[in-house]
Amino acid sequence: MPRGFDHLDHLGGRIDGKGNLVNGFSGKIAAIGPALQVSGCRAKRVTAYVDVGISNRQPTFRGPLRADGVICNGFAIAKPALSIAATLTPELDRWRGNTALRAGNLQTGQVTISDIAGRVDFDGQANGTKGTATLSAATGRIASTPMTGLEFDGKFAFGSTASGEGRLTVARLKPDIGVVERLDAAARTAADTPVGPLLRELARAVQRTDRGIAVVADGRYSGGTTQISQLLATSVSGAALRAAGGRGIQLGGEVQRWLVARVSF
């Protein structure tokens, strides 16, 4: 069994095929199990029906893989469905490949993203898996703020911790009154700094965007904290907010801290 596949709870299945198990085997694997743990991620009720081939002691798998849910270091993914193409090393201690992905939703902290589709390329071993992802989602929500038309292009790593970085594009984000209130509170806290008047103006601008705003953000996630290095928000009327430089905008835990060095309208 590949190293890093820590728990295979009552995994059952069947292998049909023919050929030399070192070089030249070709067949089909059908498998089902209540749980599977790989590189710090745990999947529930896993099913697979994949083609398998072995060439020069390297197994290759192609086909559909599904689960009821996956939990990875603070991320929860519901109903993931993969169309996977992966190759293992002869020692079964490393895997590399790609997959088409569809999922019902992804949740981490106050962020929920729904109706997900895209492609993931990965390279993993017993202590973790890393790769790149190009994903889209129909809808999402940050706390009580709804979003539609999401796209993400970036890279990720899962192991003892989870991290990622890339660009997120949101076609429409509709801030609720709570966002305005938090901006007002941040403006009062920063009243004696150059950022204070900018935050007050931003709160008023957000309040006027009743038809929503489009957002493009570059950032990274690590250890439960998201750091946004660049942000562009544009309203339907054409008004725009740009934030860049300094330490960016940091979101983490129960605290949402604005650490913006340069903001322009």
Side-chain angles (χ1 to χ4, degrees):
M1 193 61 61
R3 298 173 191 175
F5 286 63
D6 306 316
H7 294 90
L8 297 167
D9 296 347
H10 307 292
L11 182 68
R14 176 175 175 174
I15 302 177
D16 292 315
K18 61 182 179 179
N20 190 304
L21 289 176
V22 175
N23 187 27
F25 179 83
S26 178
K28 182 80 73 173
I29 295 179
I32 186 170
L36 169 66
Q37 187 160 318
V38 184
S39 295
C41 296
R42 186 172 181 85
K44 296 181 178 180
R45 189 166 176 77
V46 180
T47 61
Y49 188 64
V50 299
D51 295 319
V52 58
I54 300 177
S55 177
N56 296 321
R57 299 190 301 122
Q58 295 187 97
T60 296
F61 302 92
R62 295 179 181 274
L65 178 66
R66 296 180 174 86
D68 279 358
V70 177
I71 297 176
C72 291
N73 296 298
F75 287 82
I77 305 172
K79 300 292 184 182
L82 313 179
S83 180
I84 196 167
T87 299
L88 276 66
T89 59
E91 296 77 18
L92 306 183
D93 61 355
R94 188 162 186 170
W95 42 91
R96 177 179 294 178
N98 62 76
T99 182
L101 167 68
R102 296 196 69 89
N105 64 62
L106 179 151
Q107 186 168 2
T108 176
Q110 298 187 69
V111 178
T112 301
I113 300 171
S114 302
D115 194 9
I116 302 164
R119 174 188 168 101
V120 177
D121 292 86
F122 56 86
D123 186 345
Q125 51 190 325
N127 61 358
T129 296
K130 62 183 179 180
T132 60
T134 302
L135 304 172
S136 64
T139 61
R141 184 173 291 273
I142 302 177
S144 57
T145 300
M147 304 176 287
T148 57
L150 293 83
E151 296 182 357
F152 173 80
D153 191 358
K155 55 186 180 180
F156 65 89
F158 289 112
S160 58
T161 61
S163 63
E165 61 180 284
R167 169 164 289 187
L168 175 66
T169 302
V170 180
R172 184 175 182 270
L173 181 149
K174 183 64 171 67
D176 65 359
I177 189 62
V179 173
V180 177
E181 292 173 350
R182 288 192 292 272
L183 286 171
D184 277 333
R188 290 192 296 271
T189 301
D192 296 329
T193 73
V195 177
L198 294 174
L199 290 175
R200 281 195 299 274
E201 181 60 28
L202 176 59
R204 302 288 78 76
V206 169
Q207 197 169 31
R208 292 193 297 269
T209 58
D210 57 339
R211 288 184 290 173
I213 57 178
V215 177
V216 179
D218 294 333
R220 61 188 306 165
Y221 172 89
S222 181
T225 298
T226 300
Q227 190 85 24
I228 301 174
S229 57
Q230 295 190 77
L231 174 70
L232 171 63
T234 308
S235 70
V236 175
S237 65
L241 162 72
R242 296 177 178 85
R247 296 170 62 189
I249 301 169
Q250 182 171 310
L251 309 174
E254 297 181 356
V255 180
Q256 299 190 2
R257 290 174 285 176
W258 290 78
L259 304 171
V260 184
R262 294 189 297 276
V263 179
S264 58
F265 293 93

